[in-house]
Amino acid sequence: MNPPHAPLMDEPLPRPRRWGAPEMARLAAMLEQDSLFYWNGQQTVALLGGFRELYPLEYAFACSSGSAAIHIAIAALRLKPGDEVIVPPITDMGTVIGILYQQCVPIFADLDPATYNLDPADVRRRISSRTRAIIAVHLAGNPCDVSQLQVIAREHNLALIEDCAQAWGARAQGAPVGLAGNLACYSLNQHKHVTCGDGGIVATNDLRYGPGLGKWGDKHYDRMAGGRDPEELAPNYRISEPQSAVAAAQLKRLPEIAARRSAAGDRLTALLSGTPGLRLPRVNAGDTSSYWFYLVRVEAEKFRVTRNELAASLAAEGVACQAGYIPRPIYQYPVFRNHNFFGGQWPIRDLGLTSVDYRNVSCPVAEEILRDCIIFTLNEAMSDSYIDKLAHAIRAGSKRSLK
Ligand SMILES: *Cc1c(COP(=O)(O)O)cnc(C)c1O
């Protein structure tokens, strides 16, 4: 339903042009090659070279997706069936898929109500004698409290994996995200800051995991030594040269994309600060968010309308937004509720290697965030003046719906 007056937001949503001449040039060069196989392919070499310029991680493997990168990271830890990995409940399925395929157990810890990232205090509460790792997801480009998570990981001898899929270009205490943990994972899917349609990178400086990383994404073949005599079970998660060609060109765009998004998001926070009924995302002092999206929480008791109605009324005013994010916390998805992981069964539970029952899991803060959040679209094509108008529209539009 359109409002009877002129919409508060009269500028169309700016859409960044994401690909162009640099991607085309790399694709053209690629077609001159003899091989489109990733191993020593010039495009994959260029992708990993460009990656290391941004992220000083000596061992990096380009793979088929962010989910693949995380599966490879988990596999590289060589966990035992029934070992536990602590994860946040608001994330993409890709964060937990690899854990389950390795016959391990995702354990959900609750979130900080203002950063929407893992709450270190709750992570501590969820640690058991079976805990082996933590996956820290930098949600929406906002860095986790990595220093606290590092302390916990060290204290309990846990591996720390950083899921940087939504956080290309973000900085934790000045350093690019991914350098604080043992392993870092990135996604290049269509919806991320930089993309080649689908792709991923897993990387580390840790000598225990680095040299073998590639094997975990390539059937455990040893491409270096030329051997096809696998010692372990590993999937084929290879990237290909067409993907790498586009991704290598995309990485050159990242600094500008991230800087623009950081500026836009911080500007929006400054302009919206103090808006009655809205709780804005907190970026910890010293961190830089690259705002994959902009998530605001609605103080329901202050409004005459529901969260869904507020989002719909803002959308009708020309504000690009949606009510909510994922439909429910990951542990409430049917696959978890029914423990339907392998043909309707969960072998490790049947074998007594875990007693976790996902029907009993609860993370109240995460549940509340999903009930009361509105996500605003934010992108690198938005000028300062667009952000100014957007902030005005959100302020004026939400004010009308207050009690
Ligand atoms: C996108 C995403 C993934 C998975 O990446 P794919 O490339 O889609 O497999 C994992 N974790 C988070 C937080 C993501 O946003």
Side-chain angles (χ1 to χ4, degrees):
M1 200 183 68
N2 285 321
H5 53 84
L8 288 166
M9 196 64 206
D10 56 4
E11 254 186 69
L13 177 67
R15 298 198 185 269
R17 177 147 164 62
R18 303 185 72 192
W19 308 283
E23 286 76 13
M24 188 60 94
R26 283 223 160 262
L27 285 166
M30 177 200 76
L31 291 177
E32 301 293 319
Q33 297 172 194
D34 298 336
S35 164
L36 300 185
F37 191 59
Y38 83 102
W39 179 247
N40 277 333
Q42 292 160 43
Q43 304 306 322
T44 305
V45 168
L47 168 61
L48 293 176
F51 175 80
R52 283 194 203 89
E53 277 174 29
L54 298 165
Y55 297 88
L57 292 165
E58 191 175 343
Y59 301 95
F61 179 74
C63 55
S64 54
S65 70
S67 307
I70 295 164
H71 190 172
I72 291 167
I74 291 287
L77 300 180
R78 298 191 76 254
L79 305 182
K80 299 278 180 276
D83 282 350
E84 298 178 352
V85 180
I86 294 178
V87 295
I90 300 183
T91 184
D92 183 79
M93 268 301 281
T95 305
V96 298
I97 288 168
I99 302 172
L100 289 158
Y101 272 108
Q102 291 308 112
Q103 308 305 331
C104 296
V105 184
I107 297 291
F108 295 91
D110 213 347
L111 305 178
D112 180 289
T115 65
Y116 328 131
N117 283 325
L118 277 179
D119 169 10
D122 200 58
V123 168
R124 274 184 195 282
R125 287 192 281 271
R126 312 268 176 168
I127 290 174
S128 79
S129 61
R130 297 303 306 269
T131 312
R132 297 289 176 268
I134 302 169
I135 301 185
V137 175
H138 305 295
L139 196 77
N142 189 15
C144 287
D145 188 345
V146 279
S147 60
Q148 277 300 310
L149 295 174
Q150 275 175 319
V151 168
I152 296 171
R154 250 183 249 124
E155 236 171 75
H156 296 270
N157 196 25
L158 312 175
L160 180 60
I161 296 174
E162 289 179 76
D163 178 344
C164 307
Q166 301 186 2
W168 283 104
R171 291 179 169 266
Q173 304 301 303
V177 290
L179 307 190
N182 300 93
L183 289 143
C185 305
Y186 305 79
S187 167
L188 290 159
N189 94 19
Q190 163 73 23
H191 308 286
K192 305 300 166 40
H193 296 71
V194 283
T195 178
C196 56
D198 266 310
I201 293 176
V202 51
T204 182
N205 275 328
D206 195 319
L207 279 166
R208 288 171 295 175
Y209 312 123
L213 217 47
K215 286 194 198 174
W216 292 108
D218 192 1
K219 308 176 197 174
H220 221 267
Y221 285 177
D222 189 344
R223 298 279 168 198
M224 207 87 86
R228 288 199 192 179
D229 215 5
E231 292 170 350
E232 309 249 10
L233 182 66
N236 171 2
Y237 280 151
R238 298 186 306 240
I239 200 164
S240 70
E241 284 284 277
Q243 291 164 291
S244 291
V246 174
Q250 285 275 291
L251 283 191
K252 301 274 183 227
R253 300 178 187 264
L254 177 59
E256 210 179 306
I257 291 171
R260 190 54 225 147
R261 280 179 175 258
S262 296
D266 288 348
R267 188 178 186 90
L268 194 54
T269 297
L271 292 166
L272 288 179
S273 145
T275 306
L278 298 187
R279 295 167 75 184
L280 309 179
R282 188 186 81 230
V283 179
N284 286 325
D287 288 349
T288 308
S289 173
S290 59
Y291 296 98
W292 191 52
F293 51 71
Y294 190 92
L295 188 150
V296 164
R297 300 187 59 188
V298 175
E299 293 174 308
E301 69 283 2
K302 299 201 174 145
F303 288 90
R304 288 185 280 105
V305 299
T306 64
R307 181 272 311 260
N308 287 2
E309 288 165 344
L310 176 60
S313 74
L314 290 172
E317 292 290 352
V319 173
C321 66
Q322 68 175 55
Y325 177 32
I326 56 175
R328 60 196 94 247
I330 297 259
Y331 55 79
Q332 287 178 358
Y333 285 170
V335 58
F336 277 93
R337 290 199 78 86
N338 301 321
H339 303 98
N340 178 20
F341 301 124
F342 298 94
Q345 294 183 303
W346 194 14
I348 54 170
R349 207 164 68 136
D350 300 341
L351 291 169
L353 295 169
T354 184
S355 56
V356 166
D357 185 331
Y358 288 108
R359 290 167 300 185
N360 300 331
V361 174
S362 139
C363 294
V365 178
E367 291 174 22
E368 211 176 273
I369 291 170
L370 291 176
R371 268 197 305 273
D372 68 21
C373 74
I374 294 180
I375 285 184
F376 294 97
T377 300
L378 200 143
N379 70 46
E380 60 272 21
M382 292 177 173
S383 64
D384 283 356
S385 73
Y386 183 89
I387 296 290
D388 296 351
K389 281 189 186 178
L390 177 63
H392 170 74
I394 295 171
R395 262 183 178 280
S398 59
K399 196 171 161 198
R400 285 179 194 156
S401 299
L402 288 169
K403 275 181 183 159

